[in-house]
Structures are given as structure tokens and as C-alpha cells.
mmCIF file of all heavy atoms in Angstrom:
data_model
loop_
_atom_site.group_PDB
_atom_site.id
_atom_site.type_symbol
_atom_site.label_atom_id
_atom_site.label_comp_id
_atom_site.label_asym_id
_atom_site.label_seq_id
_atom_site.Cartn_x
_atom_site.Cartn_y
_atom_site.Cartn_z
ATOM 1 N N VAL Z 1 3.701 -1.260 -26.493
ATOM 2 C CA VAL Z 1 2.415 -0.567 -26.551
ATOM 3 C C VAL Z 1 1.278 -1.549 -26.307
ATOM 4 O O VAL Z 1 1.371 -2.727 -26.644
ATOM 5 C CB VAL Z 1 2.214 0.153 -27.910
ATOM 6 C CG1 VAL Z 1 3.201 1.304 -28.057
ATOM 7 C CG2 VAL Z 1 2.359 -0.812 -29.077
ATOM 8 N N GLN Z 2 0.207 -1.029 -25.747
ATOM 9 C CA GLN Z 2 -0.926 -1.873 -25.364
ATOM 10 C C GLN Z 2 -1.992 -1.955 -26.456
ATOM 11 O O GLN Z 2 -2.903 -2.754 -26.385
ATOM 12 C CB GLN Z 2 -1.509 -1.304 -24.063
ATOM 13 C CG GLN Z 2 -2.624 -2.090 -23.432
ATOM 14 C CD GLN Z 2 -3.986 -1.432 -23.639
ATOM 15 O OE1 GLN Z 2 -4.122 -0.480 -24.416
ATOM 16 N NE2 GLN Z 2 -4.994 -1.948 -22.967
ATOM 17 N N SER Z 3 -1.845 -1.124 -27.504
ATOM 18 C CA SER Z 3 -2.868 -1.085 -28.550
ATOM 19 C C SER Z 3 -2.249 -0.768 -29.909
ATOM 20 O O SER Z 3 -1.148 -0.205 -29.991
ATOM 21 C CB SER Z 3 -3.919 -0.021 -28.215
ATOM 22 O OG SER Z 3 -3.328 1.276 -28.245
ATOM 23 N N PHE Z 4 -2.974 -1.121 -30.952
ATOM 24 C CA PHE Z 4 -2.554 -0.753 -32.304
ATOM 25 C C PHE Z 4 -2.623 0.763 -32.477
ATOM 26 O O PHE Z 4 -1.855 1.341 -33.237
ATOM 27 C CB PHE Z 4 -3.439 -1.446 -33.343
ATOM 28 C CG PHE Z 4 -3.111 -2.905 -33.533
ATOM 29 C CD1 PHE Z 4 -3.768 -3.875 -32.792
ATOM 30 C CD2 PHE Z 4 -2.144 -3.307 -34.439
ATOM 31 C CE1 PHE Z 4 -3.466 -5.224 -32.956
ATOM 32 C CE2 PHE Z 4 -1.834 -4.637 -34.614
ATOM 33 C CZ PHE Z 4 -2.499 -5.604 -33.866
ATOM 34 N N TYR Z 5 -3.539 1.382 -31.779
ATOM 35 C CA TYR Z 5 -3.661 2.840 -31.834
ATOM 36 C C TYR Z 5 -2.356 3.506 -31.386
ATOM 37 O O TYR Z 5 -1.853 4.431 -32.043
ATOM 38 C CB TYR Z 5 -4.822 3.287 -30.948
ATOM 39 C CG TYR Z 5 -4.941 4.785 -30.783
ATOM 40 C CD1 TYR Z 5 -5.328 5.603 -31.851
ATOM 41 C CD2 TYR Z 5 -4.674 5.388 -29.566
ATOM 42 C CE1 TYR Z 5 -5.441 6.980 -31.701
ATOM 43 C CE2 TYR Z 5 -4.787 6.763 -29.405
ATOM 44 C CZ TYR Z 5 -5.170 7.554 -30.476
ATOM 45 O OH TYR Z 5 -5.275 8.908 -30.316
ATOM 46 N N ALA Z 6 -1.790 3.035 -30.277
ATOM 47 C CA ALA Z 6 -0.521 3.578 -29.784
ATOM 48 C C ALA Z 6 0.615 3.257 -30.752
ATOM 49 O O ALA Z 6 1.498 4.083 -30.981
ATOM 50 C CB ALA Z 6 -0.219 3.020 -28.395
ATOM 51 N N MET Z 7 0.583 2.063 -31.320
ATOM 52 C CA MET Z 7 1.611 1.675 -32.287
ATOM 53 C C MET Z 7 1.588 2.602 -33.503
ATOM 54 O O MET Z 7 2.635 3.065 -33.981
ATOM 55 C CB MET Z 7 1.396 0.219 -32.718
ATOM 56 C CG MET Z 7 2.445 -0.317 -33.677
ATOM 57 S SD MET Z 7 2.163 -2.067 -34.084
ATOM 58 C CE MET Z 7 2.809 -2.843 -32.602
ATOM 59 N N ASP Z 8 0.399 2.891 -33.998
ATOM 60 C CA ASP Z 8 0.258 3.796 -35.142
ATOM 61 C C ASP Z 8 0.730 5.202 -34.801
ATOM 62 O O ASP Z 8 1.340 5.886 -35.623
ATOM 63 C CB ASP Z 8 -1.198 3.841 -35.615
ATOM 64 C CG ASP Z 8 -1.621 2.568 -36.337
ATOM 65 O OD1 ASP Z 8 -0.731 1.823 -36.781
ATOM 66 O OD2 ASP Z 8 -2.833 2.335 -36.466
ATOM 67 N N PHE Z 9 0.450 5.635 -33.574
ATOM 68 C CA PHE Z 9 0.882 6.966 -33.137
ATOM 69 C C PHE Z 9 2.403 7.083 -33.200
ATOM 70 O O PHE Z 9 2.953 8.051 -33.736
ATOM 71 C CB PHE Z 9 0.388 7.245 -31.712
ATOM 72 C CG PHE Z 9 0.899 8.531 -31.135
ATOM 73 C CD1 PHE Z 9 0.285 9.738 -31.442
ATOM 74 C CD2 PHE Z 9 2.009 8.534 -30.298
ATOM 75 C CE1 PHE Z 9 0.769 10.937 -30.916
ATOM 76 C CE2 PHE Z 9 2.500 9.724 -29.768
ATOM 77 C CZ PHE Z 9 1.872 10.927 -30.083
ATOM 78 N N LEU Z 10 3.101 6.078 -32.682
ATOM 79 C CA LEU Z 10 4.566 6.112 -32.689
ATOM 80 C C LEU Z 10 5.125 6.003 -34.102
ATOM 81 O O LEU Z 10 6.145 6.617 -34.425
ATOM 82 C CB LEU Z 10 5.120 4.993 -31.800
ATOM 83 C CG LEU Z 10 4.914 5.185 -30.292
ATOM 84 C CD1 LEU Z 10 5.411 3.969 -29.524
ATOM 85 C CD2 LEU Z 10 5.612 6.442 -29.790
ATOM 86 N N LEU Z 11 4.436 5.242 -34.943
ATOM 87 C CA LEU Z 11 4.905 5.096 -36.322
ATOM 88 C C LEU Z 11 4.902 6.426 -37.073
ATOM 89 O O LEU Z 11 5.717 6.629 -37.979
ATOM 90 C CB LEU Z 11 4.039 4.080 -37.081
ATOM 91 C CG LEU Z 11 4.454 2.611 -36.964
ATOM 92 C CD1 LEU Z 11 3.452 1.721 -37.684
ATOM 93 C CD2 LEU Z 11 5.862 2.399 -37.507
ATOM 94 N N LYS Z 12 4.021 7.322 -36.692
ATOM 95 C CA LYS Z 12 3.984 8.649 -37.317
ATOM 96 C C LYS Z 12 5.285 9.410 -37.078
ATOM 97 O O LYS Z 12 5.644 10.312 -37.830
ATOM 98 C CB LYS Z 12 2.802 9.466 -36.781
ATOM 99 C CG LYS Z 12 1.452 8.929 -37.248
ATOM 100 C CD LYS Z 12 0.313 9.682 -36.585
ATOM 101 C CE LYS Z 12 -1.027 9.075 -36.978
ATOM 102 N NZ LYS Z 12 -2.162 9.701 -36.261
ATOM 103 N N TYR Z 13 5.991 9.026 -36.025
ATOM 104 C CA TYR Z 13 7.288 9.629 -35.707
ATOM 105 C C TYR Z 13 8.437 8.676 -36.054
ATOM 106 O O TYR Z 13 9.556 8.848 -35.578
ATOM 107 C CB TYR Z 13 7.343 9.999 -34.221
ATOM 108 C CG TYR Z 13 6.333 11.053 -33.831
ATOM 109 C CD1 TYR Z 13 5.069 10.698 -33.369
ATOM 110 C CD2 TYR Z 13 6.633 12.407 -33.955
ATOM 111 C CE1 TYR Z 13 4.135 11.664 -33.016
ATOM 112 C CE2 TYR Z 13 5.706 13.383 -33.607
ATOM 113 C CZ TYR Z 13 4.460 13.005 -33.138
ATOM 114 O OH TYR Z 13 3.530 13.970 -32.798
ATOM 115 N N GLU Z 14 8.097 7.669 -36.876
ATOM 116 C CA GLU Z 14 9.069 6.665 -37.321
ATOM 117 C C GLU Z 14 9.704 5.923 -36.154
ATOM 118 O O GLU Z 14 10.895 5.597 -36.159
ATOM 119 C CB GLU Z 14 10.138 7.311 -38.219
ATOM 120 C CG GLU Z 14 9.538 7.934 -39.474
ATOM 121 C CD GLU Z 14 10.597 8.539 -40.386
ATOM 122 O OE1 GLU Z 14 11.773 8.619 -39.979
ATOM 123 O OE2 GLU Z 14 10.239 8.911 -41.505
ATOM 124 N N ILE Z 15 8.901 5.666 -35.138
ATOM 125 C CA ILE Z 15 9.358 4.921 -33.964
ATOM 126 C C ILE Z 15 8.702 3.548 -33.973
ATOM 127 O O ILE Z 15 7.482 3.428 -34.025
ATOM 128 C CB ILE Z 15 9.000 5.663 -32.660
ATOM 129 C CG1 ILE Z 15 9.728 7.012 -32.605
ATOM 130 C CG2 ILE Z 15 9.343 4.819 -31.446
ATOM 131 C CD1 ILE Z 15 9.333 7.871 -31.427
ATOM 132 N N THR Z 16 9.538 2.530 -33.927
ATOM 133 C CA THR Z 16 9.042 1.155 -33.909
ATOM 134 C C THR Z 16 8.665 0.760 -32.483
ATOM 135 O O THR Z 16 9.341 1.137 -31.526
ATOM 136 C CB THR Z 16 10.124 0.188 -34.430
ATOM 137 O OG1 THR Z 16 10.468 0.576 -35.756
ATOM 138 C CG2 THR Z 16 9.628 -1.246 -34.436
ATOM 139 N N SER Z 17 7.593 0.008 -32.355
ATOM 140 C CA SER Z 17 7.175 -0.470 -31.034
ATOM 141 C C SER Z 17 6.717 -1.916 -31.135
ATOM 142 O O SER Z 17 6.513 -2.450 -32.223
ATOM 143 C CB SER Z 17 6.051 0.413 -30.482
ATOM 144 O OG SER Z 17 4.932 0.396 -31.347
ATOM 145 N N TYR Z 18 6.565 -2.524 -29.986
ATOM 146 C CA TYR Z 18 6.146 -3.926 -29.920
ATOM 147 C C TYR Z 18 4.841 -4.030 -29.144
ATOM 148 O O TYR Z 18 4.681 -3.393 -28.094
ATOM 149 C CB TYR Z 18 7.230 -4.769 -29.245
ATOM 150 C CG TYR Z 18 8.565 -4.658 -29.927
ATOM 151 C CD1 TYR Z 18 9.527 -3.773 -29.452
ATOM 152 C CD2 TYR Z 18 8.850 -5.411 -31.064
ATOM 153 C CE1 TYR Z 18 10.753 -3.657 -30.084
ATOM 154 C CE2 TYR Z 18 10.072 -5.295 -31.713
ATOM 155 C CZ TYR Z 18 11.020 -4.411 -31.219
ATOM 156 O OH TYR Z 18 12.228 -4.279 -31.850
ATOM 157 N N LEU Z 19 3.957 -4.826 -29.657
ATOM 158 C CA LEU Z 19 2.633 -4.970 -29.050
ATOM 159 C C LEU Z 19 2.711 -5.848 -27.811
ATOM 160 O O LEU Z 19 3.260 -6.949 -27.830
ATOM 161 C CB LEU Z 19 1.675 -5.585 -30.077
ATOM 162 C CG LEU Z 19 0.179 -5.394 -29.855
ATOM 163 C CD1 LEU Z 19 -0.190 -3.912 -29.865
ATOM 164 C CD2 LEU Z 19 -0.605 -6.133 -30.928
ATOM 165 N N LEU Z 20 2.180 -5.336 -26.709
ATOM 166 C CA LEU Z 20 2.059 -6.112 -25.478
ATOM 167 C C LEU Z 20 0.722 -5.733 -24.848
ATOM 168 O O LEU Z 20 0.627 -4.855 -23.996
ATOM 169 C CB LEU Z 20 3.209 -5.820 -24.513
ATOM 170 C CG LEU Z 20 3.254 -6.711 -23.266
ATOM 171 C CD1 LEU Z 20 3.480 -8.170 -23.638
ATOM 172 C CD2 LEU Z 20 4.327 -6.237 -22.300
ATOM 173 N N THR Z 21 -0.325 -6.369 -25.317
ATOM 174 C CA THR Z 21 -1.675 -6.034 -24.858
ATOM 175 C C THR Z 21 -1.927 -6.667 -23.491
ATOM 176 O O THR Z 21 -1.184 -7.555 -23.055
ATOM 177 C CB THR Z 21 -2.721 -6.540 -25.857
ATOM 178 O OG1 THR Z 21 -2.567 -7.948 -26.033
ATOM 179 C CG2 THR Z 21 -2.551 -5.856 -27.211
ATOM 180 N N ASP Z 22 -2.962 -6.219 -22.828
ATOM 181 C CA ASP Z 22 -3.296 -6.791 -21.530
ATOM 182 C C ASP Z 22 -4.495 -7.730 -21.671
ATOM 183 O O ASP Z 22 -4.931 -8.039 -22.785
ATOM 184 C CB ASP Z 22 -3.559 -5.688 -20.506
ATOM 185 C CG ASP Z 22 -4.722 -4.786 -20.905
ATOM 186 O OD1 ASP Z 22 -5.404 -5.091 -21.911
ATOM 187 O OD2 ASP Z 22 -4.967 -3.780 -20.216
ATOM 188 N N TYR Z 23 -5.016 -8.159 -20.541
ATOM 189 C CA TYR Z 23 -6.173 -9.068 -20.572
ATOM 190 C C TYR Z 23 -6.983 -8.897 -19.304
ATOM 191 O O TYR Z 23 -6.490 -8.372 -18.293
ATOM 192 C CB TYR Z 23 -5.715 -10.525 -20.737
ATOM 193 C CG TYR Z 23 -4.680 -10.967 -19.719
ATOM 194 C CD1 TYR Z 23 -5.061 -11.526 -18.505
ATOM 195 C CD2 TYR Z 23 -3.323 -10.815 -19.975
ATOM 196 C CE1 TYR Z 23 -4.124 -11.928 -17.571
ATOM 197 C CE2 TYR Z 23 -2.370 -11.215 -19.055
ATOM 198 C CZ TYR Z 23 -2.781 -11.764 -17.855
ATOM 199 O OH TYR Z 23 -1.844 -12.157 -16.926
ATOM 200 N N LEU Z 24 -8.225 -9.326 -19.352
ATOM 201 C CA LEU Z 24 -9.120 -9.220 -18.204
ATOM 202 C C LEU Z 24 -8.836 -10.332 -17.205
ATOM 203 O O LEU Z 24 -8.303 -11.389 -17.559
ATOM 204 C CB LEU Z 24 -10.576 -9.301 -18.650
ATOM 205 C CG LEU Z 24 -11.089 -8.223 -19.595
ATOM 206 C CD1 LEU Z 24 -12.563 -8.459 -19.907
ATOM 207 C CD2 LEU Z 24 -10.894 -6.819 -19.014
ATOM 208 N N SER Z 25 -9.222 -10.101 -15.964
ATOM 209 C CA SER Z 25 -9.062 -11.134 -14.937
ATOM 210 C C SER Z 25 -10.055 -12.273 -15.184
ATOM 211 O O SER Z 25 -11.076 -12.105 -15.873
ATOM 212 C CB SER Z 25 -9.288 -10.539 -13.545
ATOM 213 O OG SER Z 25 -10.608 -10.044 -13.428
ATOM 214 N N ASP Z 26 -9.754 -13.411 -14.604
ATOM 215 C CA ASP Z 26 -10.568 -14.614 -14.827
ATOM 216 C C ASP Z 26 -12.021 -14.432 -14.402
ATOM 217 O O ASP Z 26 -12.923 -15.047 -14.968
ATOM 218 C CB ASP Z 26 -9.968 -15.813 -14.086
ATOM 219 C CG ASP Z 26 -8.683 -16.296 -14.734
ATOM 220 O OD1 ASP Z 26 -8.467 -15.985 -15.930
ATOM 221 O OD2 ASP Z 26 -7.891 -16.981 -14.060
ATOM 222 N N GLU Z 27 -12.249 -13.583 -13.395
ATOM 223 C CA GLU Z 27 -13.630 -13.393 -12.925
ATOM 224 C C GLU Z 27 -14.531 -12.835 -14.022
ATOM 225 O O GLU Z 27 -15.729 -13.130 -14.067
ATOM 226 C CB GLU Z 27 -13.673 -12.478 -11.698
ATOM 227 C CG GLU Z 27 -13.200 -11.058 -11.976
ATOM 228 C CD GLU Z 27 -13.077 -10.225 -10.721
ATOM 229 O OE1 GLU Z 27 -14.112 -9.747 -10.228
ATOM 230 O OE2 GLU Z 27 -11.944 -10.059 -10.248
ATOM 231 N N HIS Z 28 -13.955 -12.038 -14.923
ATOM 232 C CA HIS Z 28 -14.736 -11.505 -16.041
ATOM 233 C C HIS Z 28 -14.822 -12.509 -17.195
ATOM 234 O O HIS Z 28 -15.832 -12.562 -17.893
ATOM 235 C CB HIS Z 28 -14.109 -10.201 -16.540
ATOM 236 C CG HIS Z 28 -14.145 -9.101 -15.535
ATOM 237 N ND1 HIS Z 28 -15.303 -8.471 -15.163
ATOM 238 C CD2 HIS Z 28 -13.156 -8.528 -14.807
ATOM 239 C CE1 HIS Z 28 -15.037 -7.552 -14.250
ATOM 240 N NE2 HIS Z 28 -13.750 -7.567 -14.018
ATOM 241 N N LEU Z 29 -13.772 -13.274 -17.361
ATOM 242 C CA LEU Z 29 -13.728 -14.208 -18.491
ATOM 243 C C LEU Z 29 -14.579 -15.446 -18.252
ATOM 244 O O LEU Z 29 -15.060 -16.056 -19.208
ATOM 245 C CB LEU Z 29 -12.276 -14.617 -18.765
ATOM 246 C CG LEU Z 29 -11.315 -13.478 -19.112
ATOM 247 C CD1 LEU Z 29 -9.904 -14.027 -19.309
ATOM 248 C CD2 LEU Z 29 -11.772 -12.723 -20.354
ATOM 249 N N SER Z 30 -14.754 -15.815 -16.995
ATOM 250 C CA SER Z 30 -15.456 -17.067 -16.691
ATOM 251 C C SER Z 30 -16.875 -16.863 -16.173
ATOM 252 O O SER Z 30 -17.564 -17.831 -15.865
ATOM 253 C CB SER Z 30 -14.657 -17.873 -15.666
ATOM 254 O OG SER Z 30 -14.525 -17.144 -14.461
ATOM 255 N N GLN Z 31 -17.309 -15.612 -16.094
ATOM 256 C CA GLN Z 31 -18.631 -15.357 -15.525
ATOM 257 C C GLN Z 31 -19.748 -15.942 -16.405
ATOM 258 O O GLN Z 31 -19.630 -16.009 -17.626
ATOM 259 C CB GLN Z 31 -18.855 -13.854 -15.333
ATOM 260 C CG GLN Z 31 -18.904 -13.056 -16.618
ATOM 261 C CD GLN Z 31 -19.042 -11.564 -16.367
ATOM 262 O OE1 GLN Z 31 -19.898 -11.129 -15.603
ATOM 263 N NE2 GLN Z 31 -18.186 -10.786 -17.004
ATOM 264 N N ILE Z 32 -20.792 -16.379 -15.762
ATOM 265 C CA ILE Z 32 -21.963 -16.901 -16.461
ATOM 266 C C ILE Z 32 -23.087 -15.881 -16.291
ATOM 267 O O ILE Z 32 -23.506 -15.589 -15.165
ATOM 268 C CB ILE Z 32 -22.386 -18.271 -15.902
ATOM 269 C CG1 ILE Z 32 -21.258 -19.293 -16.117
ATOM 270 C CG2 ILE Z 32 -23.669 -18.744 -16.570
ATOM 271 C CD1 ILE Z 32 -21.487 -20.613 -15.427
ATOM 272 N N VAL Z 33 -23.537 -15.329 -17.399
ATOM 273 C CA VAL Z 33 -24.550 -14.272 -17.359
ATOM 274 C C VAL Z 33 -25.861 -14.801 -17.920
ATOM 275 O O VAL Z 33 -25.897 -15.322 -19.034
ATOM 276 C CB VAL Z 33 -24.088 -13.039 -18.168
ATOM 277 C CG1 VAL Z 33 -25.147 -11.946 -18.128
ATOM 278 C CG2 VAL Z 33 -22.764 -12.517 -17.638
ATOM 279 N N ASP Z 34 -26.908 -14.663 -17.147
ATOM 280 C CA ASP Z 34 -28.249 -15.053 -17.584
ATOM 281 C C ASP Z 34 -28.886 -13.837 -18.269
ATOM 282 O O ASP Z 34 -29.353 -12.916 -17.608
ATOM 283 C CB ASP Z 34 -29.080 -15.500 -16.380
ATOM 284 C CG ASP Z 34 -30.460 -16.013 -16.775
ATOM 285 O OD1 ASP Z 34 -30.826 -15.894 -17.963
ATOM 286 O OD2 ASP Z 34 -31.172 -16.520 -15.888
ATOM 287 N N THR Z 35 -28.874 -13.843 -19.597
ATOM 288 C CA THR Z 35 -29.378 -12.675 -20.335
ATOM 289 C C THR Z 35 -30.880 -12.472 -20.141
ATOM 290 O O THR Z 35 -31.382 -11.372 -20.378
ATOM 291 C CB THR Z 35 -29.057 -12.777 -21.837
ATOM 292 O OG1 THR Z 35 -29.592 -14.000 -22.351
ATOM 293 C CG2 THR Z 35 -27.551 -12.739 -22.078
ATOM 294 N N SER Z 36 -31.587 -13.502 -19.702
ATOM 295 C CA SER Z 36 -33.026 -13.344 -19.476
ATOM 296 C C SER Z 36 -33.301 -12.421 -18.283
ATOM 297 O O SER Z 36 -34.412 -11.914 -18.125
ATOM 298 C CB SER Z 36 -33.689 -14.702 -19.245
ATOM 299 O OG SER Z 36 -33.296 -15.256 -17.995
ATOM 300 N N LYS Z 37 -32.294 -12.197 -17.452
ATOM 301 C CA LYS Z 37 -32.456 -11.335 -16.278
ATOM 302 C C LYS Z 37 -32.006 -9.902 -16.552
ATOM 303 O O LYS Z 37 -32.055 -9.052 -15.660
ATOM 304 C CB LYS Z 37 -31.679 -11.916 -15.098
ATOM 305 C CG LYS Z 37 -32.247 -13.244 -14.600
ATOM 306 C CD LYS Z 37 -31.482 -13.756 -13.404
ATOM 307 C CE LYS Z 37 -32.101 -15.076 -12.912
ATOM 308 N NZ LYS Z 37 -31.348 -15.636 -11.755
ATOM 309 N N LYS Z 38 -31.582 -9.647 -17.775
ATOM 310 C CA LYS Z 38 -31.140 -8.294 -18.099
ATOM 311 C C LYS Z 38 -32.335 -7.341 -18.186
ATOM 312 O O LYS Z 38 -33.426 -7.736 -18.581
ATOM 313 C CB LYS Z 38 -30.359 -8.289 -19.420
ATOM 314 C CG LYS Z 38 -28.920 -8.787 -19.247
ATOM 315 C CD LYS Z 38 -28.105 -8.553 -20.481
ATOM 316 C CE LYS Z 38 -26.635 -8.860 -20.257
ATOM 317 N NZ LYS Z 38 -25.938 -7.820 -19.499
ATOM 318 N N GLU Z 39 -32.071 -6.094 -17.811
ATOM 319 C CA GLU Z 39 -33.106 -5.072 -17.825
ATOM 320 C C GLU Z 39 -32.787 -4.037 -18.903
ATOM 321 O O GLU Z 39 -31.680 -4.008 -19.441
ATOM 322 C CB GLU Z 39 -33.170 -4.396 -16.446
ATOM 323 C CG GLU Z 39 -33.451 -5.368 -15.304
ATOM 324 C CD GLU Z 39 -33.317 -4.723 -13.939
ATOM 325 O OE1 GLU Z 39 -33.457 -3.476 -13.852
ATOM 326 O OE2 GLU Z 39 -33.068 -5.447 -12.959
ATOM 327 N N ASN Z 40 -33.773 -3.209 -19.216
ATOM 328 C CA ASN Z 40 -33.568 -2.171 -20.235
ATOM 329 C C ASN Z 40 -32.767 -1.005 -19.643
ATOM 330 O O ASN Z 40 -33.273 0.096 -19.452
ATOM 331 C CB ASN Z 40 -34.911 -1.681 -20.780
ATOM 332 C CG ASN Z 40 -35.524 -2.699 -21.725
ATOM 333 O OD1 ASN Z 40 -34.875 -3.641 -22.162
ATOM 334 N ND2 ASN Z 40 -36.796 -2.518 -22.026
ATOM 335 N N ILE Z 41 -31.509 -1.300 -19.354
ATOM 336 C CA ILE Z 41 -30.599 -0.334 -18.748
ATOM 337 C C ILE Z 41 -29.445 -0.059 -19.696
ATOM 338 O O ILE Z 41 -28.890 -0.984 -20.304
ATOM 339 C CB ILE Z 41 -30.047 -0.854 -17.402
ATOM 340 C CG1 ILE Z 41 -31.159 -0.972 -16.368
ATOM 341 C CG2 ILE Z 41 -28.915 0.043 -16.894
ATOM 342 C CD1 ILE Z 41 -30.733 -1.634 -15.067
ATOM 343 N N VAL Z 42 -29.097 1.223 -19.819
ATOM 344 C CA VAL Z 42 -27.910 1.636 -20.569
ATOM 345 C C VAL Z 42 -26.908 2.145 -19.548
ATOM 346 O O VAL Z 42 -27.112 3.195 -18.923
ATOM 347 C CB VAL Z 42 -28.239 2.744 -21.587
ATOM 348 C CG1 VAL Z 42 -26.974 3.168 -22.336
ATOM 349 C CG2 VAL Z 42 -29.307 2.272 -22.572
ATOM 350 N N ALA Z 43 -25.822 1.403 -19.350
ATOM 351 C CA ALA Z 43 -24.783 1.809 -18.398
ATOM 352 C C ALA Z 43 -23.768 2.703 -19.098
ATOM 353 O O ALA Z 43 -23.506 2.544 -20.295
ATOM 354 C CB ALA Z 43 -24.099 0.580 -17.817
ATOM 355 N N TYR Z 44 -23.206 3.638 -18.343
ATOM 356 C CA TYR Z 44 -22.199 4.524 -18.926
ATOM 357 C C TYR Z 44 -21.250 5.030 -17.846
ATOM 358 O O TYR Z 44 -21.581 5.044 -16.655
ATOM 359 C CB TYR Z 44 -22.857 5.716 -19.637
ATOM 360 C CG TYR Z 44 -23.524 6.710 -18.715
ATOM 361 C CD1 TYR Z 44 -22.858 7.864 -18.275
ATOM 362 C CD2 TYR Z 44 -24.835 6.509 -18.277
ATOM 363 C CE1 TYR Z 44 -23.487 8.774 -17.426
ATOM 364 C CE2 TYR Z 44 -25.456 7.408 -17.425
ATOM 365 C CZ TYR Z 44 -24.781 8.538 -17.001
ATOM 366 O OH TYR Z 44 -25.390 9.436 -16.148
ATOM 367 N N ASN Z 45 -20.060 5.432 -18.275
ATOM 368 C CA ASN Z 45 -19.063 6.004 -17.387
ATOM 369 C C ASN Z 45 -19.119 7.521 -17.544
ATOM 370 O O ASN Z 45 -18.766 8.045 -18.602
ATOM 371 C CB ASN Z 45 -17.672 5.471 -17.760
ATOM 372 C CG ASN Z 45 -16.584 5.960 -16.817
ATOM 373 O OD1 ASN Z 45 -16.782 6.904 -16.057
ATOM 374 N ND2 ASN Z 45 -15.439 5.308 -16.871
ATOM 375 N N PRO Z 46 -19.538 8.262 -16.511
ATOM 376 C CA PRO Z 46 -19.690 9.724 -16.650
ATOM 377 C C PRO Z 46 -18.366 10.464 -16.847
ATOM 378 O O PRO Z 46 -18.364 11.646 -17.172
ATOM 379 C CB PRO Z 46 -20.369 10.133 -15.341
ATOM 380 C CG PRO Z 46 -20.017 9.054 -14.375
ATOM 381 C CD PRO Z 46 -19.938 7.791 -15.179
ATOM 382 N N LYS Z 47 -17.245 9.763 -16.663
ATOM 383 C CA LYS Z 47 -15.941 10.393 -16.854
ATOM 384 C C LYS Z 47 -15.467 10.301 -18.300
ATOM 385 O O LYS Z 47 -14.417 10.826 -18.642
ATOM 386 C CB LYS Z 47 -14.906 9.738 -15.930
ATOM 387 C CG LYS Z 47 -15.187 9.954 -14.450
ATOM 388 C CD LYS Z 47 -14.156 9.264 -13.594
ATOM 389 C CE LYS Z 47 -14.462 9.480 -12.113
ATOM 390 N NZ LYS Z 47 -13.494 8.756 -11.247
#
């Protein structure tokens, strides 16, 4: 399972699972963000 949420879901049915989470790509982990350039924007996913 990728999350504790999924692990808890399976436990409700007495099913044991093993955690195997994912990770972000290096481009997101190593990016340098200048917060002084941020604008008063609220981003959202319409889906």
C-alpha cells in the first residue's frame, strides 16, 4: 500500500499489508523557489 490510509482500510477486513510509499522526482525536490516572487494566488485542481 502507498499510504497509511490504505493500510487502515485493509486492516478493517483483517488483511495485513506492507507500506511502499512513493516519492517525487528530483526536479521537485531540488527546485529553488524565490518566495519574494510569489503572488497572492490560490491554486487548485478543479477535478
